[in-house]
Amino acid sequence: MDEFTFGITTDLRRISNDNHITVVPPHSRSFDLPNQSIEYEAMTSKELKKQIEKNKKKEEKYRQSLKENMFDYGEIKILPQNIGYVEIKNFNTASIVKSKNRHRITIAAMFQCLRKTNSLIIDLRENNGGLTNMAVKFCSYFSNQPNTYFITEESFFRYDSNGIGREFSVKKSFYTDAQTTNSLTKGKNIYILISSRTFSAAELSVYKIKQFVPTATVVGEQTKGGGNGYSGTQIGKYYTAIIPSSKAYDESDANYNIEGRGITPDIFCVSDSALQVAYRLASNDNLDTAKQEVKYFTPNKLSIDKPLFEKYYPDYVGDYRKISVYVNKGRLYMCYDRFKKCLLLPTDKDFFQADGFDLVQFKRDNGSNLVIAIVIKHTDGYLESFRKQ
């Protein structure tokens, strides 16, 4: 079923040129809405009204608990030559489960940490998007004026009434934060790192920062262009489908939309080299850093590959339909669904850890002992399996 749904997804993306479209088996049965609808059908009108009210209260409590000013980061550090660096992994909101927010930080705290730097490098190479609200909050720190127009989202709704199809749309304009200006970034040289995996809200952030700071330099690869959005998922008995239902466009720029266009960097280079290129530019090629140390905002805890397992790496390299596995500079990487790149850290033969996943395992044939498949365990317990091609 994993391979079948990915085949559907590939065809839908090819036909529509929209990389948000996704079809997968249901990740978690606890969110299986059809089962809930069956329960609702058995309720009396009074019970149904009570249940709807209860759901509304839960949703309100959930929204109040979300820390929308926190984002998931990789590293925050000050490099030699007083150059600030921050890696932003996504623009999703924080979880209501506090233990899951250990690698998140408020946007304000990050900019305060880097306020005295001369230049700022923003790494969005592995950022595949998130919420427009988060992108707005982040980009507010680059706007000359508070409450500046940001983007317009138009959501489309379609329904059937007595056999007559009806469709309408609702527009919503976003503005930068009313209390935030560029006081912490003004006067800095801004460099933004992007890759072919930078997507959706991350692309929108690059587009708007370039508007607010025309001198900002974008370094890396051309992005694919994800200008559409969706709210929630359509869940069936066997499949979950993410179907875009809105588009974002810039009314201040002739309704420009990045869908299918993406972001074109000012300086083209392989994404793996983007940081080195930006650093050379920020330091004016003055790379004599022998007497300077990198200052980390938090302790840098990087796991180290175990040399014992490197001999098995060639066995894993290959295409697994939704996943590609490759070796770069002696380290093993996985690219999941074209947008998410992860370093695979071995824990045992054929078993790995990866950021954003609970477990990655390679399956071998009992007879030939060749690697024939990969199994991915998501943080919610959902398993995916793909055969090696």
Side-chain angles (χ1 to χ4, degrees):
M1 186 175 283
D2 296 320
E3 294 177 356
F4 174 64
T5 52
F6 183 64
I8 295 174
T9 297
T10 302
D11 284 343
L12 288 173
R13 290 176 178 176
R14 174 177 53 81
I15 295 168
S16 65
N17 291 318
D18 191 322
N19 287 299
H20 279 101
I21 291 180
T22 305
V23 179
V24 294
H27 281 216
S28 175
R29 303 306 296 179
S30 62
F31 291 99
D32 198 343
L33 296 185
N35 289 344
Q36 291 180 2
S37 64
I38 294 173
E39 293 174 5
Y40 289 161
E41 289 175 5
M43 291 182 179
T44 64
S45 58
K46 186 176 181 180
E47 290 174 333
L48 181 61
K49 185 176 181 181
K50 187 177 180 180
Q51 182 64 39
I52 292 174
E53 193 62 33
K54 186 178 179 180
N55 289 345
K56 283 184 179 179
K57 290 181 180 179
K58 281 185 178 180
E59 183 178 356
E60 182 62 28
K61 184 178 180 181
Y62 170 76
R63 293 188 179 280
Q64 289 176 356
S65 301
L66 289 178
K67 305 175 181 64
E68 292 191 353
N69 64 336
M70 296 180 73
F71 65 86
D72 193 2
Y73 71 97
E75 284 187 329
I76 300 174
K77 56 190 177 183
I78 300 176
L79 301 167
Q81 308 293 335
N82 199 28
I83 298 168
Y85 169 87
V86 57
E87 176 191 8
I88 302 175
K89 292 188 172 183
N90 58 59
F91 285 115
N92 296 329
T93 57
S95 171
I96 57 174
V97 181
K98 292 184 178 180
S99 61
K100 294 184 178 181
N101 297 326
R102 285 177 293 183
H103 299 291
R104 303 184 76 90
I105 188 175
T106 63
I107 298 174
M110 183 274 290
F111 279 112
Q112 280 291 338
C113 172
L114 303 176
R115 69 186 184 282
K116 293 183 179 181
T117 55
N118 299 326
S119 301
L120 183 60
I121 299 176
I122 303 167
D123 193 345
L124 300 177
R125 288 177 293 178
E126 307 303 330
N127 189 317
N128 56 10
L131 300 180
T132 301
N133 283 337
M134 288 293 289
V136 173
K137 289 176 181 292
F138 178 72
C139 293
S140 296
Y141 285 85
F142 299 91
S143 175
N144 288 324
Q145 299 291 332
N147 206 35
T148 299
Y149 171 77
F150 188 81
I151 205 75
T152 298
E153 279 191 355
E154 185 172 7
S155 299
F156 297 87
F157 302 89
R158 186 181 294 117
Y159 66 98
D160 184 277
S161 178
N162 296 323
I164 302 175
R166 300 177 184 275
E167 184 176 307
F168 65 98
S169 64
V170 176
K171 292 183 181 181
K172 179 182 179 181
S173 294
F174 290 84
Y175 293 83
T176 60
D177 191 85
Q179 308 298 324
T180 305
T181 63
N182 63 353
S183 59
L184 296 177
T185 62
K186 188 176 182 180
K188 297 182 189 295
N189 296 318
I190 308 296
Y191 301 89
I192 309 172
L193 313 184
I194 61 174
S195 74
S196 59
R197 297 175 298 279
T198 306
F199 189 60
S200 194
E203 294 175 284
L204 177 60
S205 297
V206 179
Y207 169 73
K208 293 305 294 188
I209 292 175
K210 282 287 288 183
Q211 269 194 354
F212 295 151
V213 188
T215 57
T217 303
V218 181
V219 183
E221 301 168 341
Q222 175 76 32
T223 65
K224 292 182 172 63
N228 296 336
Y230 64 92
S231 56
T233 58
Q234 307 295 319
I235 302 178
K237 185 177 181 181
Y238 298 109
Y239 309 105
T240 299
I242 295 175
I243 304 174
S245 57
S246 66
K247 65 178 181 180
Y249 52 87
D250 189 352
E251 292 188 272
S252 66
D253 187 16
N255 290 345
Y256 184 82
N257 175 259
I258 63 174
E259 180 64 38
R261 297 173 175 174
I263 302 296
T264 301
D266 299 310
I267 300 175
F268 282 89
C269 70
V270 177
S271 63
D272 289 345
S273 303
L275 177 56
Q276 290 88 335
V277 173
Y279 182 71
R280 292 187 76 99
L281 292 171
S283 62
N284 295 317
D285 268 344
N286 180 13
L287 302 180
D288 183 14
T289 60
K291 297 181 179 179
Q292 302 180 55
E293 295 181 356
V294 177
K295 300 177 182 178
Y296 291 95
F297 178 71
T298 56
N300 187 28
K301 298 179 180 178
L302 284 178
S303 300
I304 301 174
D305 289 318
K306 299 178 181 179
L308 175 65
F309 301 109
E310 288 183 358
K311 61 184 178 182
Y312 301 116
Y313 286 4
D315 296 348
Y316 310 132
V317 172
D319 182 23
Y320 300 79
R321 290 175 171 81
K322 192 175 185 178
I323 298 163
S324 61
V325 178
Y326 60 95
V327 175
N328 184 27
K329 297 180 180 179
R331 311 188 87 178
L332 195 66
Y333 289 88
M334 173 182 78
C335 190
Y336 178 85
D337 197 12
R338 294 189 294 175
F339 293 113
K340 186 167 185 176
K341 175 184 172 184
C342 304
L343 174 65
L344 296 179
L345 299 168
T347 57
D348 202 346
K349 181 184 176 182
D350 299 342
F351 288 86
F352 293 82
Q353 290 180 336
D355 185 33
F357 300 92
D358 269 358
L359 177 71
V360 176
Q361 180 188 1
F362 291 92
K363 293 283 189 178
R364 294 181 181 269
D365 180 75
N366 290 332
S368 65
N369 200 37
L370 296 175
V371 172
I372 58 173
I374 188 172
V375 177
I376 306 293
K377 184 178 181 182
H378 293 257
T379 54
D380 62 359
Y382 172 66
L383 292 174
E384 283 186 300
S385 177
F386 297 93
R387 290 169 294 174
K388 191 175 185 180
Q389 290 186 300

